[in-house]
Structure formats: C-alpha cells, structure tokens
Amino acid sequence: MLKLAIILCNILAIFATAHYAGYRLNLTRSEPVGLYKVISEAPTRGDLASFCLSPEGEYKKLTADRNYLGTSLLCSSGQKPLLKEIVGVAGDAIKVGFSSIQVNDSIFILMSRTHDSNGRKLPHKLRSGVIPEGKALLLSTHHKNSFDSRYFGLVDATKLRKTIPVFTFN
C-alpha cells in the first residue's frame, strides 16, 4: 500500500510540475487532441489561444448548466479554459452569415447551429461589423460544431494566452 501511495504522489508531482511549466492536455474536439504549451508571447492572428470565459458573463451559467466546459481550477469561473484559433483582431471587418463568417478577405465555412446536440437553443452573439479595440474573434477551424465566438461573441484580447501544440494527433 505504501508503494502505491508513493507512485501516486510521484505521478501527481509530475503533473503539477508540467502544469506549472505551462503544459496543458487537450482532450476536446475543438482542436487536435494532445499536449499543448501556454507561452508568454502575445498571441496574434492565426495563433491558437487559451482563454477563460468571464465568470460574470451570461455564459458562465449557460456553460455550467449544460456542462459544455467541465470544471477546472484554471479559470476563476470554475470551468475549463477554451482553446481556439484567433481569426480576427481589432480593426478587422467581419461579416456574419448563417453558413459562413468572413473576416476581411478570408471566408470560414462554419454553420451556426440554432440548437445544441441535446436540442437546446444556442445563443448567437456574433454580429457583423468591425472588431473594436481590445477584442478578438476566436473560432475552431478544426471542428465545425465547436462552442466558439459564433455563440459567445468577441473575446477580451488581453485574456488570451498564446498556446502552441507540442504533440497532437487526429
């Protein structure tokens, strides 16, 4: 029994050290499954970014009630952070359609669903216009049904943390 306790403590120490060093495991379908590292460099368009939805925002209750994100101590909301690609930054023009989002000259073919997989109505906060200073547009270009800016709108750019893939698959 003592050996098992020592092994478990060592495993926990390894995970704690990896987490402290910025390593995160993504097991969601929004981006490829695998190991990522959060780095201190400021993220820009085209980068993956990790971020937390605001604990004061209307999405805290929605995502908690529907268990979209799960629980975590990494975000002050008590939910897991999201991992998405930055596709639009301040000053970019966005045009939102039902089956696509255009950012300047780039078109992303992404259907905005009206209901989730359990038949519950989804909010649609993203609107056409120019992205204001301090905001960013984040989408999953990996999985078409991801919970992203199509549903919760623009994100506070200061809350984004650049995240790079270390080892991923699928």
Side-chain angles (χ1 to χ4, degrees), residues 95-103 106-114 124 126 128 139-140 144-145 150-151:
K95 184 176 178 185
V96 178
F98 181 72
S99 61
S100 67
I101 296 172
Q102 183 174 345
V103 181
S106 298
I107 297 176
F108 300 90
I109 307 300
L110 296 167
M111 180 82 59
S112 292
R113 299 180 316 151
T114 57
H124 291 92
L126 189 60
S128 297
L139 299 173
S140 171
K144 66 179 181 170
N145 290 329
R150 288 174 284 174
Y151 307 105

PDB file of all heavy atoms in Angstrom, residues 95-103 106-114 124 126 128 139-140 144-145 150-151:
ATOM      1  N   LYS A  95     -18.156  39.773 -41.394  1.00  0.00           N
ATOM      2  CA  LYS A  95     -19.498  39.661 -41.951  1.00  0.00           C
ATOM      3  C   LYS A  95     -20.008  38.286 -41.572  1.00  0.00           C
ATOM      4  O   LYS A  95     -19.432  37.264 -41.955  1.00  0.00           O
ATOM      5  CB  LYS A  95     -19.472  39.823 -43.467  1.00  0.00           C
ATOM      6  CG  LYS A  95     -20.847  39.809 -44.094  1.00  0.00           C
ATOM      7  CD  LYS A  95     -20.770  40.064 -45.584  1.00  0.00           C
ATOM      8  CE  LYS A  95     -22.165  40.004 -46.182  1.00  0.00           C
ATOM      9  NZ  LYS A  95     -22.111  40.132 -47.632  1.00  0.00           N
ATOM     10  N   VAL A  96     -21.071  38.254 -40.791  1.00  0.00           N
ATOM     11  CA  VAL A  96     -21.604  37.007 -40.263  1.00  0.00           C
ATOM     12  C   VAL A  96     -22.778  36.560 -41.113  1.00  0.00           C
ATOM     13  O   VAL A  96     -23.754  37.294 -41.299  1.00  0.00           O
ATOM     14  CB  VAL A  96     -22.060  37.188 -38.796  1.00  0.00           C
ATOM     15  CG1 VAL A  96     -22.654  35.898 -38.253  1.00  0.00           C
ATOM     16  CG2 VAL A  96     -20.907  37.666 -37.938  1.00  0.00           C
ATOM     17  N   GLY A  97     -22.661  35.352 -41.644  1.00  0.00           N
ATOM     18  CA  GLY A  97     -23.749  34.725 -42.394  1.00  0.00           C
ATOM     19  C   GLY A  97     -24.166  33.454 -41.674  1.00  0.00           C
ATOM     20  O   GLY A  97     -23.516  33.039 -40.705  1.00  0.00           O
ATOM     21  N   PHE A  98     -25.215  32.811 -42.137  1.00  0.00           N
ATOM     22  CA  PHE A  98     -25.681  31.592 -41.485  1.00  0.00           C
ATOM     23  C   PHE A  98     -24.690  30.448 -41.634  1.00  0.00           C
ATOM     24  O   PHE A  98     -24.488  29.668 -40.724  1.00  0.00           O
ATOM     25  CB  PHE A  98     -27.056  31.181 -42.030  1.00  0.00           C
ATOM     26  CG  PHE A  98     -27.601  29.942 -41.380  1.00  0.00           C
ATOM     27  CD1 PHE A  98     -28.055  29.983 -40.067  1.00  0.00           C
ATOM     28  CD2 PHE A  98     -27.651  28.741 -42.063  1.00  0.00           C
ATOM     29  CE1 PHE A  98     -28.544  28.845 -39.447  1.00  0.00           C
ATOM     30  CE2 PHE A  98     -28.144  27.595 -41.461  1.00  0.00           C
ATOM     31  CZ  PHE A  98     -28.598  27.650 -40.150  1.00  0.00           C
ATOM     32  N   SER A  99     -24.056  30.358 -42.799  1.00  0.00           N
ATOM     33  CA  SER A  99     -23.144  29.235 -43.043  1.00  0.00           C
ATOM     34  C   SER A  99     -21.686  29.649 -43.211  1.00  0.00           C
ATOM     35  O   SER A  99     -20.852  28.822 -43.569  1.00  0.00           O
ATOM     36  CB  SER A  99     -23.591  28.456 -44.283  1.00  0.00           C
ATOM     37  OG  SER A  99     -23.561  29.304 -45.416  1.00  0.00           O
ATOM     38  N   SER A 100     -21.388  30.918 -42.961  1.00  0.00           N
ATOM     39  CA  SER A 100     -20.000  31.358 -43.083  1.00  0.00           C
ATOM     40  C   SER A 100     -19.757  32.628 -42.270  1.00  0.00           C
ATOM     41  O   SER A 100     -20.697  33.335 -41.911  1.00  0.00           O
ATOM     42  CB  SER A 100     -19.644  31.618 -44.545  1.00  0.00           C
ATOM     43  OG  SER A 100     -20.370  32.735 -45.029  1.00  0.00           O
ATOM     44  N   ILE A 101     -18.486  32.850 -42.010  1.00  0.00           N
ATOM     45  CA  ILE A 101     -18.042  34.089 -41.372  1.00  0.00           C
ATOM     46  C   ILE A 101     -16.895  34.604 -42.218  1.00  0.00           C
ATOM     47  O   ILE A 101     -15.939  33.875 -42.499  1.00  0.00           O
ATOM     48  CB  ILE A 101     -17.579  33.856 -39.927  1.00  0.00           C
ATOM     49  CG1 ILE A 101     -18.757  33.366 -39.077  1.00  0.00           C
ATOM     50  CG2 ILE A 101     -16.969  35.131 -39.338  1.00  0.00           C
ATOM     51  CD1 ILE A 101     -18.378  32.915 -37.691  1.00  0.00           C
ATOM     52  N   GLN A 102     -17.015  35.854 -42.641  1.00  0.00           N
ATOM     53  CA  GLN A 102     -15.953  36.461 -43.429  1.00  0.00           C
ATOM     54  C   GLN A 102     -15.212  37.445 -42.551  1.00  0.00           C
ATOM     55  O   GLN A 102     -15.815  38.288 -41.894  1.00  0.00           O
ATOM     56  CB  GLN A 102     -16.532  37.177 -44.653  1.00  0.00           C
ATOM     57  CG  GLN A 102     -15.465  37.770 -45.537  1.00  0.00           C
ATOM     58  CD  GLN A 102     -16.031  38.345 -46.827  1.00  0.00           C
ATOM     59  OE1 GLN A 102     -17.169  38.080 -47.202  1.00  0.00           O
ATOM     60  NE2 GLN A 102     -15.221  39.131 -47.519  1.00  0.00           N
ATOM     61  N   VAL A 103     -13.879  37.308 -42.534  1.00  0.00           N
ATOM     62  CA  VAL A 103     -13.011  38.229 -41.802  1.00  0.00           C
ATOM     63  C   VAL A 103     -12.092  38.848 -42.846  1.00  0.00           C
ATOM     64  O   VAL A 103     -11.240  38.159 -43.419  1.00  0.00           O
ATOM     65  CB  VAL A 103     -12.189  37.515 -40.713  1.00  0.00           C
ATOM     66  CG1 VAL A 103     -11.310  38.512 -39.969  1.00  0.00           C
ATOM     67  CG2 VAL A 103     -13.100  36.757 -39.758  1.00  0.00           C
ATOM     68  N   SER A 106     -10.887  36.707 -45.850  1.00  0.00           N
ATOM     69  CA  SER A 106     -10.908  35.272 -45.545  1.00  0.00           C
ATOM     70  C   SER A 106     -12.323  34.826 -45.205  1.00  0.00           C
ATOM     71  O   SER A 106     -13.022  35.492 -44.436  1.00  0.00           O
ATOM     72  CB  SER A 106      -9.993  34.954 -44.357  1.00  0.00           C
ATOM     73  OG  SER A 106      -8.663  35.291 -44.661  1.00  0.00           O
ATOM     74  N   ILE A 107     -12.709  33.691 -45.773  1.00  0.00           N
ATOM     75  CA  ILE A 107     -14.049  33.156 -45.501  1.00  0.00           C
ATOM     76  C   ILE A 107     -13.906  31.820 -44.781  1.00  0.00           C
ATOM     77  O   ILE A 107     -13.176  30.937 -45.219  1.00  0.00           O
ATOM     78  CB  ILE A 107     -14.853  32.973 -46.804  1.00  0.00           C
ATOM     79  CG1 ILE A 107     -15.062  34.338 -47.466  1.00  0.00           C
ATOM     80  CG2 ILE A 107     -16.190  32.302 -46.521  1.00  0.00           C
ATOM     81  CD1 ILE A 107     -15.765  34.276 -48.802  1.00  0.00           C
ATOM     82  N   PHE A 108     -14.622  31.695 -43.678  1.00  0.00           N
ATOM     83  CA  PHE A 108     -14.643  30.467 -42.883  1.00  0.00           C
ATOM     84  C   PHE A 108     -16.025  29.845 -43.055  1.00  0.00           C
ATOM     85  O   PHE A 108     -17.027  30.459 -42.698  1.00  0.00           O
ATOM     86  CB  PHE A 108     -14.357  30.755 -41.409  1.00  0.00           C
ATOM     87  CG  PHE A 108     -13.011  31.386 -41.189  1.00  0.00           C
ATOM     88  CD1 PHE A 108     -12.861  32.766 -41.210  1.00  0.00           C
ATOM     89  CD2 PHE A 108     -11.900  30.592 -40.992  1.00  0.00           C
ATOM     90  CE1 PHE A 108     -11.618  33.347 -41.028  1.00  0.00           C
ATOM     91  CE2 PHE A 108     -10.660  31.154 -40.812  1.00  0.00           C
ATOM     92  CZ  PHE A 108     -10.512  32.542 -40.833  1.00  0.00           C
ATOM     93  N   ILE A 109     -16.068  28.651 -43.615  1.00  0.00           N
ATOM     94  CA  ILE A 109     -17.338  27.954 -43.829  1.00  0.00           C
ATOM     95  C   ILE A 109     -17.685  27.227 -42.535  1.00  0.00           C
ATOM     96  O   ILE A 109     -17.163  26.157 -42.250  1.00  0.00           O
ATOM     97  CB  ILE A 109     -17.251  26.959 -45.008  1.00  0.00           C
ATOM     98  CG1 ILE A 109     -16.739  27.651 -46.267  1.00  0.00           C
ATOM     99  CG2 ILE A 109     -18.604  26.282 -45.237  1.00  0.00           C
ATOM    100  CD1 ILE A 109     -17.607  28.792 -46.758  1.00  0.00           C
ATOM    101  N   LEU A 110     -18.519  27.858 -41.753  1.00  0.00           N
ATOM    102  CA  LEU A 110     -18.933  27.324 -40.456  1.00  0.00           C
ATOM    103  C   LEU A 110     -20.417  27.602 -40.266  1.00  0.00           C
ATOM    104  O   LEU A 110     -20.823  28.756 -40.173  1.00  0.00           O
ATOM    105  CB  LEU A 110     -18.143  27.977 -39.313  1.00  0.00           C
ATOM    106  CG  LEU A 110     -16.641  27.736 -39.279  1.00  0.00           C
ATOM    107  CD1 LEU A 110     -15.975  28.689 -38.303  1.00  0.00           C
ATOM    108  CD2 LEU A 110     -16.352  26.303 -38.891  1.00  0.00           C
ATOM    109  N   MET A 111     -21.199  26.586 -40.215  1.00  0.00           N
ATOM    110  CA  MET A 111     -22.633  26.718 -39.992  1.00  0.00           C
ATOM    111  C   MET A 111     -22.872  27.110 -38.527  1.00  0.00           C
ATOM    112  O   MET A 111     -22.294  26.512 -37.625  1.00  0.00           O
ATOM    113  CB  MET A 111     -23.317  25.379 -40.276  1.00  0.00           C
ATOM    114  CG  MET A 111     -24.801  25.378 -40.078  1.00  0.00           C
ATOM    115  SD  MET A 111     -25.742  26.013 -41.458  1.00  0.00           S
ATOM    116  CE  MET A 111     -25.270  24.927 -42.770  1.00  0.00           C
ATOM    117  N   SER A 112     -23.671  28.119 -38.317  1.00  0.00           N
ATOM    118  CA  SER A 112     -24.065  28.482 -36.955  1.00  0.00           C
ATOM    119  C   SER A 112     -25.327  27.702 -36.627  1.00  0.00           C
ATOM    120  O   SER A 112     -26.391  27.953 -37.192  1.00  0.00           O
ATOM    121  CB  SER A 112     -24.316  29.981 -36.843  1.00  0.00           C
ATOM    122  OG  SER A 112     -23.114  30.679 -36.984  1.00  0.00           O
ATOM    123  N   ARG A 113     -25.184  26.765 -35.728  1.00  0.00           N
ATOM    124  CA  ARG A 113     -26.328  25.921 -35.365  1.00  0.00           C
ATOM    125  C   ARG A 113     -27.311  26.700 -34.501  1.00  0.00           C
ATOM    126  O   ARG A 113     -26.914  27.574 -33.735  1.00  0.00           O
ATOM    127  CB  ARG A 113     -25.840  24.678 -34.625  1.00  0.00           C
ATOM    128  CG  ARG A 113     -24.919  23.831 -35.484  1.00  0.00           C
ATOM    129  CD  ARG A 113     -24.417  22.599 -34.807  1.00  0.00           C
ATOM    130  NE  ARG A 113     -23.988  22.849 -33.440  1.00  0.00           N
ATOM    131  CZ  ARG A 113     -24.036  21.950 -32.468  1.00  0.00           C
ATOM    132  NH1 ARG A 113     -24.493  20.744 -32.706  1.00  0.00           N
ATOM    133  NH2 ARG A 113     -23.622  22.244 -31.273  1.00  0.00           N
ATOM    134  N   THR A 114     -28.576  26.357 -34.599  1.00  0.00           N
ATOM    135  CA  THR A 114     -29.595  27.016 -33.785  1.00  0.00           C
ATOM    136  C   THR A 114     -29.795  26.292 -32.453  1.00  0.00           C
ATOM    137  O   THR A 114     -30.240  26.891 -31.481  1.00  0.00           O
ATOM    138  CB  THR A 114     -30.942  27.097 -34.527  1.00  0.00           C
ATOM    139  OG1 THR A 114     -31.340  25.780 -34.900  1.00  0.00           O
ATOM    140  CG2 THR A 114     -30.820  27.981 -35.767  1.00  0.00           C
ATOM    141  N   HIS A 124     -26.623  33.420 -30.157  1.00  0.00           N
ATOM    142  CA  HIS A 124     -25.788  33.879 -31.270  1.00  0.00           C
ATOM    143  C   HIS A 124     -25.415  35.332 -31.002  1.00  0.00           C
ATOM    144  O   HIS A 124     -26.205  36.229 -31.306  1.00  0.00           O
ATOM    145  CB  HIS A 124     -26.509  33.731 -32.608  1.00  0.00           C
ATOM    146  CG  HIS A 124     -26.699  32.317 -33.011  1.00  0.00           C
ATOM    147  ND1 HIS A 124     -27.829  31.605 -32.700  1.00  0.00           N
ATOM    148  CD2 HIS A 124     -25.888  31.468 -33.670  1.00  0.00           C
ATOM    149  CE1 HIS A 124     -27.703  30.368 -33.155  1.00  0.00           C
ATOM    150  NE2 HIS A 124     -26.537  30.264 -33.750  1.00  0.00           N
ATOM    151  N   LEU A 126     -22.445  36.869 -32.052  1.00  0.00           N
ATOM    152  CA  LEU A 126     -21.540  37.462 -33.032  1.00  0.00           C
ATOM    153  C   LEU A 126     -22.338  38.245 -34.067  1.00  0.00           C
ATOM    154  O   LEU A 126     -23.318  37.742 -34.628  1.00  0.00           O
ATOM    155  CB  LEU A 126     -20.713  36.363 -33.705  1.00  0.00           C
ATOM    156  CG  LEU A 126     -19.570  36.846 -34.598  1.00  0.00           C
ATOM    157  CD1 LEU A 126     -18.573  37.679 -33.795  1.00  0.00           C
ATOM    158  CD2 LEU A 126     -18.875  35.664 -35.235  1.00  0.00           C
ATOM    159  N   SER A 128     -22.098  41.211 -37.458  1.00  0.00           N
ATOM    160  CA  SER A 128     -21.264  41.830 -38.490  1.00  0.00           C
ATOM    161  C   SER A 128     -20.828  43.213 -38.033  1.00  0.00           C
ATOM    162  O   SER A 128     -21.545  43.885 -37.294  1.00  0.00           O
ATOM    163  CB  SER A 128     -22.044  41.948 -39.805  1.00  0.00           C
ATOM    164  OG  SER A 128     -22.388  40.673 -40.292  1.00  0.00           O
ATOM    165  N   LEU A 139     -12.355  31.176 -33.333  1.00  0.00           N
ATOM    166  CA  LEU A 139     -13.140  30.095 -33.893  1.00  0.00           C
ATOM    167  C   LEU A 139     -12.342  28.803 -33.832  1.00  0.00           C
ATOM    168  O   LEU A 139     -11.118  28.824 -33.789  1.00  0.00           O
ATOM    169  CB  LEU A 139     -13.491  30.379 -35.366  1.00  0.00           C
ATOM    170  CG  LEU A 139     -14.315  31.616 -35.662  1.00  0.00           C
ATOM    171  CD1 LEU A 139     -14.402  31.825 -37.173  1.00  0.00           C
ATOM    172  CD2 LEU A 139     -15.704  31.509 -35.059  1.00  0.00           C
ATOM    173  N   SER A 140     -13.049  27.701 -33.886  1.00  0.00           N
ATOM    174  CA  SER A 140     -12.385  26.418 -34.085  1.00  0.00           C
ATOM    175  C   SER A 140     -12.426  26.140 -35.575  1.00  0.00           C
ATOM    176  O   SER A 140     -13.499  25.968 -36.146  1.00  0.00           O
ATOM    177  CB  SER A 140     -13.087  25.292 -33.333  1.00  0.00           C
ATOM    178  OG  SER A 140     -12.524  24.051 -33.728  1.00  0.00           O
ATOM    179  N   LYS A 144     -16.218  21.746 -36.752  1.00  0.00           N
ATOM    180  CA  LYS A 144     -17.282  22.657 -37.179  1.00  0.00           C
ATOM    181  C   LYS A 144     -18.354  22.918 -36.130  1.00  0.00           C
ATOM    182  O   LYS A 144     -19.051  23.922 -36.195  1.00  0.00           O
ATOM    183  CB  LYS A 144     -17.931  22.137 -38.462  1.00  0.00           C
ATOM    184  CG  LYS A 144     -18.674  20.831 -38.274  1.00  0.00           C
ATOM    185  CD  LYS A 144     -19.313  20.359 -39.554  1.00  0.00           C
ATOM    186  CE  LYS A 144     -20.065  19.061 -39.273  1.00  0.00           C
ATOM    187  NZ  LYS A 144     -20.879  18.660 -40.374  1.00  0.00           N
ATOM    188  N   ASN A 145     -18.519  22.051 -35.142  1.00  0.00           N
ATOM    189  CA  ASN A 145     -19.561  22.235 -34.132  1.00  0.00           C
ATOM    190  C   ASN A 145     -19.025  22.739 -32.800  1.00  0.00           C
ATOM    191  O   ASN A 145     -19.661  22.573 -31.768  1.00  0.00           O
ATOM    192  CB  ASN A 145     -20.341  20.935 -33.933  1.00  0.00           C
ATOM    193  CG  ASN A 145     -21.195  20.600 -35.128  1.00  0.00           C
ATOM    194  OD1 ASN A 145     -21.671  21.492 -35.839  1.00  0.00           O
ATOM    195  ND2 ASN A 145     -21.371  19.326 -35.393  1.00  0.00           N
ATOM    196  N   ARG A 150     -18.923  32.216 -32.495  1.00  0.00           N
ATOM    197  CA  ARG A 150     -20.231  32.248 -33.168  1.00  0.00           C
ATOM    198  C   ARG A 150     -21.343  32.371 -32.139  1.00  0.00           C
ATOM    199  O   ARG A 150     -22.388  32.951 -32.402  1.00  0.00           O
ATOM    200  CB  ARG A 150     -20.454  30.972 -33.984  1.00  0.00           C
ATOM    201  CG  ARG A 150     -19.606  30.893 -35.218  1.00  0.00           C
ATOM    202  CD  ARG A 150     -19.780  29.567 -35.887  1.00  0.00           C
ATOM    203  NE  ARG A 150     -19.054  28.549 -35.139  1.00  0.00           N
ATOM    204  CZ  ARG A 150     -19.093  27.243 -35.407  1.00  0.00           C
ATOM    205  NH1 ARG A 150     -19.845  26.798 -36.386  1.00  0.00           N
ATOM    206  NH2 ARG A 150     -18.383  26.396 -34.706  1.00  0.00           N
ATOM    207  N   TYR A 151     -21.116  31.798 -30.958  1.00  0.00           N
ATOM    208  CA  TYR A 151     -22.161  31.720 -29.939  1.00  0.00           C
ATOM    209  C   TYR A 151     -21.950  32.696 -28.782  1.00  0.00           C
ATOM    210  O   TYR A 151     -22.915  33.216 -28.246  1.00  0.00           O
ATOM    211  CB  TYR A 151     -22.267  30.282 -29.433  1.00  0.00           C
ATOM    212  CG  TYR A 151     -22.439  29.325 -30.589  1.00  0.00           C
ATOM    213  CD1 TYR A 151     -21.396  28.521 -31.015  1.00  0.00           C
ATOM    214  CD2 TYR A 151     -23.636  29.286 -31.303  1.00  0.00           C
ATOM    215  CE1 TYR A 151     -21.542  27.677 -32.108  1.00  0.00           C
ATOM    216  CE2 TYR A 151     -23.788  28.451 -32.404  1.00  0.00           C
ATOM    217  CZ  TYR A 151     -22.739  27.650 -32.805  1.00  0.00           C
ATOM    218  OH  TYR A 151     -22.878  26.847 -33.888  1.00  0.00           O
TER     219      TYR A 151
END
